[in-house]
Amino acid sequence: MRVVHSVSDFRALRPSLGRVAFVPTMGNLHEGHVSLVRAAHEHGAQVAASIFVNRLQFGPSEDFERYPRTLADDAAKLEDAGVSVLFAPDEREMYPAPQAYHVEPPTEQVEILEGEFRAGHFRGVATVVMKLFQIVQPDVALFGKKDYQQLMVLRNMVSQFAMPIEVVGCETVRATDGLALSSRNGYLSDEERRRAPQLHAELQRVRHGVLNGNRDFAALQQTAASGLDATGWRTEYVRICRRADLQPADPGAIEARVVLAAAGLGKTRLIDNLEI
Ligand code: PAF
């Protein structure tokens, strides 16, 4: 695996790569990321990955400084998974001057769900992904469904800017007890880790409720939130939404749905979702 730190080195290498499937990450890799690399092999002749902890997508009270930087371990995992090129720029390389141009996703996509609690987050994600796409020039880009709203925003960005990139959403990888794998799980204490699968369990209850014909979506959402809060979580939202645009699902309509949730456990904020 080639490890490339500069934009110019990546550009010099790009013509020799042919068709590229790209997995952008912020490092601190787990099995979920490795599964994206595995899926990438089905799409491109060469798999490229990136590791860059993107300051622009962190709020002032978020964990940018303490976000784990584990480049050597991450590079070993990517190499084992068959990545051909790792692009790992530092901040000066990605933002040689303060980033003054931004991708501004539409309000209705980013002021809901995560955006209600993380102002500016998706603007930061869309801006860095636009920049990574300009550098890597991938044919296919793969993202996990764990960050469902991120996937929706990036799909729409690629479509609206007519970028010649196929965006692929990959299934969430879970621990055997149901907890969705996330870099942030590492912040949980042992006791919190034992309790963390409850988030997935509540989402499953909502999903079963809807599949069994319960059309009182407000009550299903409320019951899940109360179940979490009663055991010490701080629920931010549990919402049943339309998959296509993440607007509130219409209980009377026939439409593909997803239930999404975010809640705090101790000092850690977890998100998860389940397609219905
Ligand atoms: O999902 C992530 O890890 C990040 O949001 C991404 C897409 C790499 C952009 O920094």
Side-chain angles (χ1 to χ4, degrees), residues 115-164:
E116 279 175 50
F117 298 88
R118 305 185 70 190
H121 171 68
F122 291 111
R123 174 192 211 241
V125 170
T127 301
V128 80
V129 171
M130 172 65 86
K131 199 157 178 170
L132 288 167
F133 282 176
Q134 299 300 334
I135 298 162
V136 174
Q137 304 275 314
D139 298 282
V140 183
L142 298 97
F143 298 90
K145 288 190 186 177
K146 160 97 180 358
D147 294 300
Y148 211 89
Q149 191 173 3
Q150 166 173 285
L151 175 61
M152 187 262 297
V153 167
L154 295 175
R155 257 191 215 294
N156 289 337
M157 178 184 84
V158 163
S159 157
Q160 287 235 322
F161 284 110
M163 302 171 85

Side-chain angles (χ1 to χ4, degrees), residues 11-276:
R11 290 232 160 96
L13 194 62
R14 180 65 187 90
S16 66
L17 295 174
R19 183 175 163 80
V20 164
F22 177 45
V23 179
T25 81
M26 295 205 302
N28 193 22
L29 303 181
H30 50 68
E31 188 49 36
H33 298 106
V34 174
S35 77
L36 294 178
V37 172
R38 269 194 230 109
H41 284 294
E42 291 162 24
H43 290 273
Q46 304 283 340
V47 178
S50 64
I51 295 180
F52 178 66
V53 185
N54 173 39
R55 184 187 289 276
L56 296 187
Q57 70 191 73
F58 288 78
S61 61
E62 294 183 353
D63 55 349
F64 176 72
E65 299 299 343
R66 73 168 177 149
Y67 195 90
R69 273 84 170 165
T70 50
L71 184 59
D73 280 2
D74 293 340
K77 286 179 187 160
L78 294 172
E79 182 156 31
D80 282 355
V83 167
S84 307
V85 192
L86 168 59
F87 178 54
D90 66 12
E91 248 196 305
R92 260 174 311 149
E93 186 65 19
M94 275 303 271
Y95 300 127
Q99 186 70 24
Y101 285 76
H102 294 94
V103 177
E104 199 70 64
T107 309
E108 66 276 14
Q109 283 176 22
V110 296
E111 287 195 349
I112 53 171
L113 304 165
E114 285 303 280
E116 279 175 50
F117 298 88
R118 305 185 70 190
H121 171 68
F122 291 111
R123 174 192 211 241
V125 170
T127 301
V128 80
V129 171
M130 172 65 86
K131 199 157 178 170
L132 288 167
F133 282 176
Q134 299 300 334
I135 298 162
V136 174
Q137 304 275 314
D139 298 282
V140 183
L142 298 97
F143 298 90
K145 288 190 186 177
K146 160 97 180 358
D147 294 300
Y148 211 89
Q149 191 173 3
Q150 166 173 285
L151 175 61
M152 187 262 297
V153 167
L154 295 175
R155 257 191 215 294
N156 289 337
M157 178 184 84
V158 163
S159 157
Q160 287 235 322
F161 284 110
M163 302 171 85
I165 300 171
E166 182 192 350
V167 174
V168 176
C170 298
E171 294 307 320
T172 301
V173 178
R174 297 180 182 281
T176 47
D177 59 10
L179 178 66
L181 299 195
S182 162
S183 303
R184 294 196 165 93
N185 293 351
Y187 299 150
L188 297 167
S189 68
D190 290 348
E191 200 259 325
E192 288 161 357
R193 174 62 191 81
R194 275 191 293 279
R195 292 167 52 204
Q198 191 187 346
L199 185 60
H200 176 240
E202 295 293 349
L203 291 177
Q204 275 188 311
R205 268 190 276 281
V206 174
R207 180 170 183 274
H208 288 147
V210 175
L211 291 177
N212 289 331
N214 189 337
R215 290 293 168 263
D216 190 345
F217 287 2
L220 284 168
Q221 292 168 175
Q222 188 50 51
T223 305
S226 308
L228 289 166
D229 291 343
T231 53
W233 292 70
R234 297 175 309 284
T235 306
E236 293 180 353
Y237 61 81
V238 178
R239 292 218 195 108
I240 304 168
C241 297
R242 290 198 296 248
R243 278 189 216 173
D245 57 6
L246 299 186
Q247 298 306 308
D250 173 355
I254 297 172
E255 56 192 8
R257 301 182 179 114
V258 55
V259 54
L260 308 102
L265 183 59
K267 291 197 174 88
T268 310
R269 182 176 185 277
L270 297 178
I271 62 169
D272 200 356
N273 64 77
L274 276 183
E275 289 179 340
I276 297 177

